[in-house]
Amino acid sequence: MSAETKNIPPALQVVAPLAQPGHNYESISRAISDVILEKPMPKPWYATIAIGLSLLGILGASSAYLFWEGLGLWGINNPVGWGFAIVNLVWWIGIGHAGTLISAILLLFNQDWRTAINRFAEAMTLFAVMCAGIFPLLHVGRPWAIFFIFPLPNTMSLWPQFRSPLLWDVFAISTYFTVSLLFWYTGLIPDLATLRDRSKKGIGRMIYGIFALGWRGSARHWYRYEMAYLLLGGMSAPLVVSVHTIVSFDFAVSVIPGWHTTIFPPYFVAGAIYSGFAMVLTIMIPVRIWFGMTDFITTRHMDNMAKVMLATGLVVFYGYCCEAFYAWYSGSDYERFMMLNRATGPYAWAYVCLLLCNAVSPQFLWFKWVRTNPLPLFLLTIVVNIGMWLERYVIVVTSLTRDYLPSAWGEYAGTIFDWAAYVGSIGLFLFMLSLFVKFLPMITIFELRVQQHQIDNGEIR
Amino acid sequence: MSPNDLDNILTDREAPASMSEHQDVNYWRHANEFNGAVTIDDEKHREFDADDPENLDHAGRRNFMKVMGASMMLAGLTSCARQPEEKIVPYVKPPEHSVPGRFQYYASAVSLSGYAMGVVATSYEGRPTKIEGLKEHPASLGSTDATAQASILDLYSPDRQESISHAGNLATWNQLVADIARAVGEIDTVDGAGLTVLTETTTSPTVQGLMAQLQQQFPEMKWREHDPMGNNNARMGALQAFGRITATKIDFLKAKIILSLDANFLNEGPAHVRYARDFAVTRSAEANADAPDYVAREHFAHDEMSRLYVAECSPTLTGAAADHLMGLRYGHVEALARVVASRVGVANVTADPEKVAALDGAWIDALVDDLTHHKGHAVVVAGEAQPPVVHALAHAINGILGAVESGLVTYIDSPEADATDQQGSLRRLVDDLNNEQVKLLVILGGNPVYNAPGSIDMAAALNKVPLRLHLTPEYNETSELCHWVVPESHALEAWGDLRAYDGTHSIIQPLIRPLYSSRTASQILSLVLGEDATTTDYDLVRRRFSGLYGAESEAKWKKALSQGFVEGTTFAPVSVSYRGSIPAETAAVPTEGLELIFRMDPTIGDGRHASNGWLQELPKPLTNLTWDNALHIHPTTAMKYELEQEDVVILKVGEHEVRAPVMLMFGHPQGVATLHLGYGRQVAGYIAKDRGFNAYTLRDESSPWCINEGVTLKKTSSTYLLARTEEHNNIEKSLQTQAQKAEDRHLIRSGTLSHYKEEPDFAQRLGHHAPERENTLYNPDEKDYAGLSWGMTIDLNRCNGCSVCTIACQAENNIPIVGKAEVAKGREMHWIRVDRYYKGDMYNDTVESAHQPVPCMQCENAPCEPVCPVGGTMHSKEGLNDMIYNRCVGTRYCANNCPYKVRRFNFFHYQIREGQDAPQLKMMRNPNVTVRSRGVMEKCTYCVQRINRARIDAKVAAAKIGSDVTAIPDGTLVTACQAACPSQAIDFGNINDASSRVSLRKQNTRDYGLLADIGTRPRTTYLAKLSNPSPALAGADAEAHTAEH
Amino acid sequence: MSAHGHEDETPKVHGLIAEFDDPESLVKATTKAHEAGYRTMDAYSPFPIHGLAEAMGVRGTYVSQVTLIGGLTGTATGFGMQWFASTVHYPYSIGGKPLNSWPSFMPITFELTILFAAFAALGSMLLFNGLPRPHHPIFNAKRFERASSDGFFLCIEETDAQYDTDQTKAFLEGLGPVEVSEVLE
Amino acid sequence: MAQVFHRSANVLARASIVGGGLVAIAIVTIASVIYRSPVLTQVNIAKAQPVPFSHQRHVGGNGIDCRYCHTSVEKSGVANVPPTETCMTCHSQILTDSEMLQPVHESWKTGKPLEWTRVYDLPDFVYFDHSIHVAKGVGCTTCHGEIQKMPLTWKAKTLHMAWCLECHRAPQKFLRPKDKVFDVDWKPAADKSERLEAGLKLVEEYNVNVEQLTNCSICHR
């Protein structure tokens, strides 16, 4: 069937195509499943998993020692009760948001270009949330009593305290993880069937078979399947917004100057998407090359993601401005001093860096050249990742070191154990990603087929 | 058992006991009724069996992984381990009058630099657990100072000398007896020539009596005294003024104008607790007599307030309390004394005009004017650090000002056992030693090798003595050089007696048998006397007692034991006459070069408390420094020497030198530097060893308090961490910002008396106002606190910042020390801290500072509560902000969200860390307060254990008589901090009872809530601070004082 | 064909299967089959094809309704739990807030709504689809592995009222398939 | 194409999904059952003691009042375990040469205390006060069970917090007239409503501040 392009809007005619021409259903299936079933893993993959594993080791060792000795090993103190643990938690959760956004919200907005990247982004979401999930456990003073925060049957006839934002977090994050997992798995079922049918080895075939649940591509099944998939997407959209809103409540609900502000929910969500897209790109740019996915993940995708980053980056910048403005406008000495101290106090360096990373650097994304060239874009995403970590650092630390009573002011600096936990979590992330690309299709095959079908029909290009 | 039993939040396994009505004399028992006294073995037995939670503490730690594994494995539903089996070990014969599980109270006394401080000691199942003030005792009036509070820790200190040793080997009492007998036998032949007894300042009648016996038996023996601080200048001053040594007693209740010549009378000296109390009374003026909480004062009108002038060369809390403060060099104090003396009309006193020129004329004019216009109500107090002549001048001025007639100043015979010139005494001792005239040296307490002035080589001198005995609570530098080292009994485990600053004869009675093979000074003396070696401390004290009171001694003794002191033994005034001869002024004061001032350390004293962790960790007033001493200098002076905070400098005087870290201190006189004595111990236990530097080595025998010539200061490249309980980066800048913010936020509200009279509610007008209770989404009436409802007020006008509240709280609530490193990280655990804020221009020679004790505010809208995910902290019906340790998982969210930052987190298991893990420390713990484990948040709950005890007792009592009113009489239930506070700044009680003291205080127009503007509705509120500047000087000062406007 | 050999009685027939080489012809064929009155049949494709199910006369599914019910259950559970715990079971005063401070209960209520709904959606989809079903006769069909990459199949099952081996085979061949073959149980 | 799975796999697959759920529930249930069982709570498990002291004999048989030995129960938080002296008040006359009582006589001679094994052992952060409970009409047997029937003493209740709260939330269900506090044979009215009514009257009469009883600081400090 000829690719007639009459009904393509001229604007799209010029941009890169969603997929390189010359593919058909079979070639698509092969291209992706062969990575798992046939081809050997590229060298960089071995490097990545090695790094991941060693960092993971650091995480294990440092956590064990932490559990044994106590939180004193960290830099936290009075008045700074929260440090790296919370910073990392918020950072990881934020990163997670891109996945759900791409798979759910773009699905609802019917954005074709999500097809090639949503599987990967969703996987990232899951792993990011896992990384975030380890921090509450490390963070509490008595991890062996952490079950107190779940509404479990107990002989004390006690309940958790439902007014606490931390408890909201527990529910929000665990729900977020579960739903993302279901969503992701639902998307996987048909591809697992493909792998089942294409793999020769008995064991692999077995395992893929088990998880494919006996999917056979029946029209009736597809019919309900699409309905369920749409519903899950519909639910994930508000969920993803709620999660970072609730995370921001940890701060917004408190009384601490610089935390107690209503701007946080929207500006946290924007920041989350911002950092999420940055991380997707950071991972995607090398991966598409290593695994020869350039046919399906084209500059078009990078261009679009970069645009989303630019948009959310601007929202975040707007958030910073609002913070400063309202600090002044509130007329409250506490707020004004907080802002002043942020900009000129002992942690000014962090504030300046974060402005450079999050407010200035994204401006480069106005240039198409930056958006469509892997290297500059890759570097820029790294910068943004750092910037977003600093943002949380600034929020947590500057406010706590200087709040109401000058006599109770303090200082904070992470110790080696703080850093160990942080890089350790990155190790976990890399390790999980490596396993993912090794054993599961990194691009949704059946949706690519749909896309191919539409391309063949000239509905899109 | 629930899983949280498993981790190690555990407490001494006892049931609640009573703290109620401990003022009631009948509650105290005679220790000699207490003959069933438990020995250390029984104690060990009871303490360290499985029944002791602390053992489980360790177990808990050992099984930590198991426990964690367990709880996690079972998803926290259950824990797999069963509560370990515990034993109950009842008495065989129970001691009389003891009810298991209830406290018993004994009236006794502790030594305050040799003088008596009356105390009530609490005993639980035979172990002392707490010390409170003795209401009827003149030196206490129910309060204590920090050292008295902390002396309970000395009893259980792991650094105590436990057994008699000879040349470093364990020895027995009998070997000692034999050896001493031999030595005494030898000197006996020559009337005791060669026998020397060295004591510190003591007032013990028993020791006095025994010494008298000794001198009788051995006419040639020598009694030498050395006390690194003491009050020798006062003695010599009296001698100079009156030709005889007397003690000065000041009745501050009569004092309207006070001039302190470098005297820190609020925090130092044998009477400072009493003086602080009386002074506070003279400060508590009220705008109108019908102020609800106004208490009439004998010599003062309701709106009248004393005025305090302080001239000092090193910042003290007395200076901080001053209405007019003058910082000057050491020598100028004498100049000031002279000029004041001559101007109030003391005959033939001259002042060097050159020096006078260096002083602030207006200041002196106003002062002299005040003094002369308040004859009979004006007093001059001279500081121990000042030379005798200044004391003499003070006596002269007081005479002229009629302070003596009015009874404001009373002269009495010194209560000391042997009031003598200790400076001379030390010199003679050293000469004797060096001339090898001493054959047997008996050192009773003290540590001369460490704390003798550097100009004396005590070690070398000592080594010339053939036989040396040292009676000491802990093994120290002196013990190291002595053949015999005998552990000295603690006041809570031995019989003894002391006199208070006014001569009151106080009895020290034991609550427990000596934990170790310790002896008392009296026992050693009786040994030297060759008495039966089994003579007990009890025998000796009784003997002396009957010696003093003859026939009626039996009755008096019984009464004294239940009262803690012998009634009517206050010394009668002696009439003395001023000899009117003040020698012309001595050498000029060098105004160039660095001047070194030596001061007793504010917390560990002259070093005798260096092994006390509580005092080491108590932030030193004004500097918030812990665990160290330093070279305190003004930032400007520092700039001159290009020094910064924590730089290490080498101070050299003569051939002696020390390496000292620099501590910048606003308000410190320019060109002057203060060194605190008492640090730099080399031979000591874990707590004291190698902390700070030993400033004694720079000290000179002839002028022990100041060196103003030949001081060289060399900056080194190294720095030294000083652990302060406030933020560390750039102290100068941050202190300024802090001062500024404290001002902007109206944290400390203060005004002048005159302004207060015009605008009685000035404090309440300051700052933003708390949101109206109605301004809420919710129904504001849902919370009502019927029945009991607790509240607290802290009167900033009374508080002088002495920090005893912090230690009292630490003792009452089993609060651990965390050590220097942790303090430096900002992890100190004190539940009530004393905030210090500077005011005005920080770079003045003197700077105003205010103090604010901050415990938990028990906010009604507590920000900490809603954020806790597990309900580990919530509100009680009595308005308390409860903290439930065993529910806490340690998210630290509550601490973050506390605007007052009064919550404390156990970052480690501090209770069993080095220096804290000694088993005997467990005997000290308050059985009614949970010992917190690692990972748990903790904080002040208004001593809820005392509240519960009082409530239960009241209810049980009511139930007995079938009444339905369970009244807790106002004032019978006091918090630990309130009980200890010398100036009674803290009031606590039921705010639903309109007549309770605290309610009345809250109705005062000076009452305001800290940060109330953010809507926390604190239950602890503050009363604004007042100052009373002289109208003559009002100009500049008044501005600073009312800077709030 | 796995059903062969190890069963001694002649294997049962599952139905007839026709393979087509593109989505469009599969849809056409299915429509025709439905018009011809065939009912017990199913079409198989490597990706969802719009109109295919409709062509077999599928008219809607209850997945969405079940999801809604799941969601509402979640709401009830979430708020109910918090309300019961805070006002009935162990009421205590927290920071001066009322026992039933419902605004603070909203976040958890919302999260549980989503959680329950998500499980309902996936669960009902699997349930109605009769999954998991690892073994299915259709897998016996020739070249059926291509149904998960590029094969398009229509299978009229033996249980269909109109099913007749010869006629149906003829009918299917009339639809222009690549190949028609018999599927055994 | 060949089948990947055998027919039986279908049943297996569905079974395992359902089974998974059931197993999870089972684990939770079993765990909490074990947790509440005597294995951990030690309820109804008699403890070996140096002397096989029998409340059955002393209370049930001889009808000795609780306070004769546990003297401090009305005055103090702890109801003391009696000193050897108390035992000797009788046993210096009775059973003076009994093998069983050897340890008691031993202790009396040597002055070395007996070491009893604790039966009722609250977690150490719980502060229970006997005096107030006794004063407000909580009978001994309410918590200590039918002590007069115990040849060796055992724990009658779990001492779980939930158990404490049963009474702290609704004392009317458990209170008894003060004069019956030490009466081990006292039985509440058989009829439930009658019992509650009586209880409510006592709560009123002894003015028990019920809403305060659930404050955390009442038991935890």
Side-chain angles (χ1 to χ4, degrees), chain A residues 32-361:
Chain A
I32 294 163
S33 58
D34 281 4
V35 171
I36 302 158
L37 301 173
E38 309 292 341
K39 295 205 198 104
M41 282 284 129
K43 288 196 180 47
W45 180 84
Y46 290 98
T48 317
I49 195 164
I51 295 170
L53 269 174
S54 43
L55 293 184
L56 196 54
I58 296 180
L59 178 66
S62 64
S63 310
Y65 190 52
L66 186 77
F67 283 143
W68 182 256
E69 272 304 320
L71 287 172
L73 296 177
W74 282 356
I76 45 176
N77 57 35
N78 278 313
V80 189
W82 287 358
F84 271 42
I86 297 295
V87 174
N88 299 342
L89 167 81
V90 181
W91 188 67
W92 277 120
I93 293 280
I95 285 171
H97 277 45
T100 330
L101 184 97
I102 290 170
S103 48
I105 297 183
L106 295 191
L107 170 75
L108 299 185
F109 290 147
N110 195 3
Q111 294 292 305
D112 316 315
W113 57 275
R114 72 179 272 286
T115 307
I117 51 173
N118 69 343
R119 166 70 45 73
F120 200 90
E122 280 175 58
M124 244 187 55
T125 297
L126 291 174
F127 306 147
V129 176
M130 282 183 199
C131 293
I134 58 178
F135 285 102
L137 184 63
L138 297 183
H139 166 83
V140 295
R142 302 199 299 152
W144 56 94
I146 197 163
F147 60 89
F148 285 173
I149 66 175
F150 303 110
L152 296 162
N154 61 69
T155 57
M156 299 168 277
S157 79
L158 284 178
W159 291 84
Q161 205 280 95
F162 292 107
R163 296 169 188 80
S164 166
L166 280 185
L167 197 67
W168 304 346
D169 279 357
V170 172
F171 280 85
I173 293 172
S174 50
T175 302
Y176 182 43
F177 182 75
T178 321
V179 173
S180 306
L181 187 64
L182 295 184
F183 195 28
W184 187 62
Y185 179 63
T186 314
L188 267 169
I189 293 175
D191 287 1
L192 289 169
T194 305
L195 290 172
R196 172 197 64 199
D197 297 345
R198 298 183 74 94
S199 61
K200 324 232 166 337
K201 280 194 252 57
I203 313 299
R205 203 146 174 265
M206 251 331 181
I207 297 171
Y208 288 123
I210 290 172
F211 287 101
L213 303 177
W215 182 265
R216 50 186 194 273
S218 145
R220 287 192 176 78
H221 290 187
W222 279 121
Y223 185 76
R224 301 197 185 89
Y225 177 90
E226 284 202 289
M227 172 58 78
Y229 197 65
L230 190 68
L231 287 170
L232 283 171
M235 285 181 271
S236 309
L239 177 64
V240 70
V241 174
S242 81
V243 171
H244 228 53
T245 302
I246 289 176
V247 169
S248 80
F249 283 166
D250 288 349
F251 305 100
V253 167
S254 83
V255 300
I256 304 304
W259 285 14
H260 182 63
T261 155
T262 46
I263 187 92
F264 268 13
Y267 134 58
F268 265 54
V269 172
I273 297 163
Y274 182 45
S275 58
F277 270 77
M279 185 57 91
V280 177
L281 280 168
T282 317
I283 307 289
M284 191 82 79
I285 289 172
V287 165
R288 70 192 270 272
I289 296 167
W290 294 344
F291 293 90
M293 291 296 161
T294 41
D295 279 10
F296 308 109
I297 306 172
T298 65
T299 46
R300 166 91 158 270
H301 296 96
M302 296 194 292
D303 188 18
N304 285 355
M305 284 194 272
K307 284 173 181 164
V308 177
M309 273 180 70
L310 178 55
T312 49
L314 291 171
V315 177
V316 172
F317 187 23
Y318 174 73
Y320 297 154
C321 301
C322 283
E323 263 189 321
F325 172 74
Y326 285 119
W328 167 78
Y329 188 68
S330 68
S332 144
D333 176 70
Y334 312 117
E335 291 292 334
R336 286 183 177 180
F337 177 69
M338 176 279 300
M339 203 58 226
L340 186 74
N341 174 60
R342 222 179 240 187
T344 64
Y347 298 92
W349 60 268
Y351 189 59
V352 173
C353 292
L354 104 85
L355 286 180
L356 291 178
C357 299
N358 295 353
V360 177
S361 69

Side-chain angles (χ1 to χ4, degrees), chain B residues 94-287:
Chain B
E96 293 175 67
H97 305 287
S98 81
V99 179
R102 289 206 77 114
F103 284 129
Q104 286 175 295
Y105 303 102
Y106 298 86
S108 183
V110 298
S111 161
L112 185 61
S113 53
Y115 286 73
M117 154 82 77
V119 297
V120 177
T122 307
S123 164
Y124 184 80
E125 312 260 296
R127 356 183 275 265
T129 57
K130 181 83 169 71
I131 287 181
E132 302 278 14
L134 174 54
K135 204 170 177 195
E136 293 74 9
H137 194 277
S140 161
L141 299 188
S143 316
T144 60
D145 64 348
T147 54
Q149 284 288 345
S151 61
I152 186 82
L153 179 55
D154 294 336
L155 170 65
Y156 299 107
S157 165
D159 297 345
R160 276 185 72 178
Q161 169 79 349
E162 299 192 1
S163 52
I164 301 172
S165 72
H166 180 266
N169 311 319
L170 290 192
T172 68
W173 175 244
N174 292 341
Q175 290 168 323
L176 171 69
V177 173
D179 196 22
I180 296 298
R182 180 189 52 71
V184 173
E186 290 165 9
I187 59 179
D188 199 359
T189 59
V190 292
D191 292 353
L195 167 61
T196 298
V197 178
L198 173 63
T199 67
E200 295 181 289
T201 308
T202 176
T203 57
S204 162
T206 305
V207 170
Q208 190 179 30
L210 289 162
M211 288 305 295
Q213 269 176 279
L214 260 183
Q215 279 155 329
Q216 207 165 24
Q217 189 167 334
F218 307 113
E220 290 303 312
M221 70 81 65
K222 300 281 185 298
W223 179 1
R224 306 294 188 204
E225 294 177 43
H226 164 62
D227 199 321
M229 299 300 157
N231 47 357
N232 206 45
N233 285 335
R235 277 192 292 268
M236 296 302 97
L239 192 61
Q240 188 170 2
F242 311 124
R244 63 173 286 197
I245 292 178
T246 61
T248 313
K249 209 173 90 183
I250 301 171
D251 180 1
F252 279 96
L253 289 173
K254 296 197 176 100
K256 298 188 178 182
I257 302 294
I258 305 158
L259 167 62
S260 153
L261 296 169
D262 206 10
N264 184 10
F265 62 87
L266 290 178
N267 298 90
E268 286 170 24
H272 75 261
V273 171
R274 172 59 177 269
Y275 288 174
R277 164 76 56 92
D278 293 350
F279 177 71
V281 172
T282 68
R283 301 292 289 182
S284 44
E286 288 309 339

